Amino acid sequence: MKLGRALGRENFSRHFLARHMTPPTLVIPSGRKPARNLLFSAMLLLLVTAGCGYHTVGHSVQLPANVKTIAVPTFKNETNTYRIEQMLTNSVVREFTTRTHYHILNGSNGNDASDAADATLHGTVLSTSASPLTYNSATGQAASVLIVVSMKVSLADRQGKVIYQNPSYLFREQYEVSQDLASFFEEDSPAFRRLSQDFARTLVSNILEDY
């Protein structure tokens, strides 16, 4: 079983760059003939890259060979934020569909989808919060708001063996508040959409790369 790590936007960028660092520079011993130097370099490069787990950009680490269909039932929502679980689920389904070759089953009835899938991804929205970041000096009203969403996910095969899990995903996004009161309560939707897309990209990358 592999335990994922919660990655925000900054940590994900750092994690991504660290996994694709250029291998160490090779120093060819002096006194060798060019042909032997070339052969020696190639062999040493192979050993170095194999030993450190280096892989080129675009390389895709696959889940177990028997996993061809993944069920993604609608996430559970333990918060009062309306439809946040649907937005997150849809983003994950879209990310899997566009980035991988797996057949994705999605539906509100998790049991039906799970029965037909080789693995099932379960997610739960644990909490959501919104707090003012800045204020309008003229009116005293909030000018920007920070939203924070925490989630937990697990991917298990037909036998219930956990392939991947992360109990503490935490994502943040901010948005500017309009002074138009009629649209005030509508403005968090784009922020939640951006947050959902960031979460989906991070989750799918974690599942594929950490396995």
Side-chain angles (χ1 to χ4, degrees), residues 68-131:
K68 301 183 184 304
T69 302
I70 300 176
V72 186
T74 303
F75 287 5
K76 294 181 180 179
N77 186 3
E78 296 182 351
T79 77
N80 293 323
T81 303
Y82 181 61
R83 297 188 65 181
I84 180 64
E85 77 284 0
Q86 296 183 25
M87 194 175 299
L88 290 164
T89 306
N90 291 340
S91 294
V92 171
V93 169
R94 188 180 305 109
E95 191 72 12
F96 264 116
T97 301
T98 57
R99 283 184 55 185
T100 75
H101 64 276
Y102 299 107
H103 180 54
I104 306 301
L105 301 177
N106 174 239
S108 57
N109 191 332
N111 291 332
D112 290 345
S114 299
D115 290 343
D118 301 314
T120 301
L121 179 71
H122 290 289
T124 302
V125 186
L126 300 174
S127 66
T128 60
S129 65
S131 55

Side-chain angles (χ1 to χ4, degrees), residues 27-166:
V27 179
I28 300 174
S30 60
R32 294 179 179 270
K33 294 182 180 180
R36 291 183 179 180
N37 287 347
L38 183 60
L39 178 60
F40 177 83
S41 301
M43 293 178 63
L44 185 56
L45 178 61
L46 180 60
L47 291 174
V48 169
T49 56
C52 69
Y54 174 85
H55 60 274
T56 59
V57 176
H59 180 71
S60 181
V61 180
Q62 303 299 321
L63 292 175
N66 64 321
V67 175
K68 301 183 184 304
T69 302
I70 300 176
V72 186
T74 303
F75 287 5
K76 294 181 180 179
N77 186 3
E78 296 182 351
T79 77
N80 293 323
T81 303
Y82 181 61
R83 297 188 65 181
I84 180 64
E85 77 284 0
Q86 296 183 25
M87 194 175 299
L88 290 164
T89 306
N90 291 340
S91 294
V92 171
V93 169
R94 188 180 305 109
E95 191 72 12
F96 264 116
T97 301
T98 57
R99 283 184 55 185
T100 75
H101 64 276
Y102 299 107
H103 180 54
I104 306 301
L105 301 177
N106 174 239
S108 57
N109 191 332
N111 291 332
D112 290 345
S114 299
D115 290 343
D118 301 314
T120 301
L121 179 71
H122 290 289
T124 302
V125 186
L126 300 174
S127 66
T128 60
S129 65
S131 55
L133 276 180
T134 60
Y135 292 87
N136 186 307
S137 58
T139 64
Q141 296 179 342
S144 64
V145 174
L146 176 70
I147 59 174
V148 180
V149 179
S150 66
M151 296 149 283
K152 66 177 181 180
V153 297
S154 65
L155 178 67
D157 62 18
R158 284 179 179 270
Q159 289 71 42
K161 178 183 177 182
V162 176
I163 300 173
Y164 174 87
Q165 68 175 357
N166 188 328

Side-chain angles (χ1 to χ4, degrees), residues 11 26 62 140 181 187:
N11 289 339
L26 299 177
Q62 303 299 321
L181 294 179
E187 293 182 353

